[in-house]
Amino acid sequence: MARVLMFGRLADLAGWRDRLIEAPTVSALRAHLDSLDAQLAEALAGPGVQVALDQVLLRGDAPLNPNSEVAFLPPMSGG
Amino acid sequence: MIRLLQQSFDPGAELSAFCQGRQEVGAVASFTGIARAEQGRTETLELEAYPGFTEAAIGEIAREAETRFGLQAYLILHRVGTIAPGEPIVFVATASAHRREAFEACDFLMDYLKSRAPFWKKETGPDGSRWIEPRASDLTDLARWETKP
């Protein structure tokens, strides 16, 4: 079980911000999320969407363990 | 120092406190960003952060500013939660020996906060809600710092 977090417009699209999901890798998690909702799948693949694993930005794939935290981050805008 | 604030704050009081007790600082620059009403189109702003990750990302930017501009001190305050037009949303103060470094570091930090810091901003008004993403001009502002040494 990984803890999956959605931020910004991704959370609005998904309809949740925090959920436990069983997946062996980040790519398997992505495939699972894509199968849930086509609109969310499109948004997750959109420009500027980043993924953080255990609060570190991730490029590519990585294995997940029961304590992993995966966050999906749309383009950021502060100030 | 970096603080994310759930409640509104007084930029003047923060600046006074930041200036106190400094004898070797010749220059303090500050910037306050205020939520705009956009002629009534914006009734509230919702600012979301990723606790832990957001502070760490801003900390990295701030350490870069310290090295690059020889900052003696900095203070970054950023609101999270619900913000009304007219309320301060972000405050940056920088302290250095001379004015140029303080001005430039403040400008640099704001450009990074606008388009690279992990915040997500939703504007709500009479026509509904929309998520705000960096404008092209924010990205051009940021690019200025990548070409200079």
Side-chain angles (χ1 to χ4, degrees):
Chain A
M1 286 291 201
R3 185 176 180 203
V4 181
L5 305 176
M6 294 281 172
F7 287 89
R9 63 181 163 81
L10 297 175
D12 280 1
L13 263 175
W16 51 271
R17 330 195 131 251
D18 188 341
R19 185 174 273 189
L20 294 173
I21 297 176
E22 185 72 60
T25 62
V26 173
S27 64
L29 170 65
R30 277 292 299 269
H32 173 72
L33 292 172
D34 289 353
S35 73
L36 293 179
D37 178 343
Q39 244 196 323
L40 179 63
E42 194 184 330
L44 288 173
V49 174
Q50 300 184 87
V51 179
L53 173 59
D54 297 329
Q55 304 218 339
V56 177
L57 287 178
L58 176 72
R59 290 214 168 86
D61 200 9
L64 295 175
N65 65 55
N67 299 316
S68 296
E69 181 176 288
V70 182
F72 291 91
L73 314 172
M76 300 163 178
S77 177
Chain B
M1 189 200 279
I2 296 158
R3 285 179 1 233
L4 302 186
L5 305 172
Q6 293 283 347
Q7 304 295 330
S8 195
F9 63 96
D10 177 350
E14 296 290 346
L15 183 59
S16 294
F18 183 75
C19 290
Q20 291 237 320
R22 299 191 187 278
Q23 310 216 331
E24 295 304 326
V25 160
V28 169
S30 77
F31 174 85
T32 305
I34 294 173
R36 276 191 307 269
E38 306 282 13
Q39 279 82 45
R41 289 198 304 279
T42 304
E43 288 164 349
T44 57
L45 276 180
E46 288 283 336
L47 246 296
E48 186 183 10
Y50 181 3
F53 182 80
T54 298
E55 290 92 329
I58 298 173
E60 260 178 58
I61 295 165
R63 274 191 297 280
E64 191 186 332
E66 279 184 304
T67 314
R68 189 163 171 169
F69 303 102
L71 283 187
Q72 296 182 10
Y74 66 84
L75 174 63
I76 298 171
L77 306 178
H78 207 297
R79 279 294 312 278
V80 291
T82 306
I83 298 154
E87 284 184 359
I89 180 168
V90 60
F91 175 85
V92 174
T94 51
S96 61
H98 302 285
R99 70 181 182 285
R100 185 69 51 215
E101 290 76 16
F103 277 135
E104 289 199 344
C106 194
D107 196 14
F108 170 90
L109 286 169
M110 272 312 305
D111 284 348
Y112 271 84
L113 287 168
K114 285 300 278 190
S115 47
R116 285 285 185 277
F119 291 103
W120 297 277
K121 191 162 56 179
K122 184 156 78 169
E123 200 177 77
T124 300
D127 303 327
S129 294
R130 65 184 192 103
W131 289 95
I132 312 290
E133 296 195 347
R135 295 171 302 169
S137 63
D138 291 330
L139 300 175
T140 314
D141 287 344
L142 185 62
R144 294 184 301 151
W145 304 103
E146 276 148 23
T147 53
K148 278 203 257 175

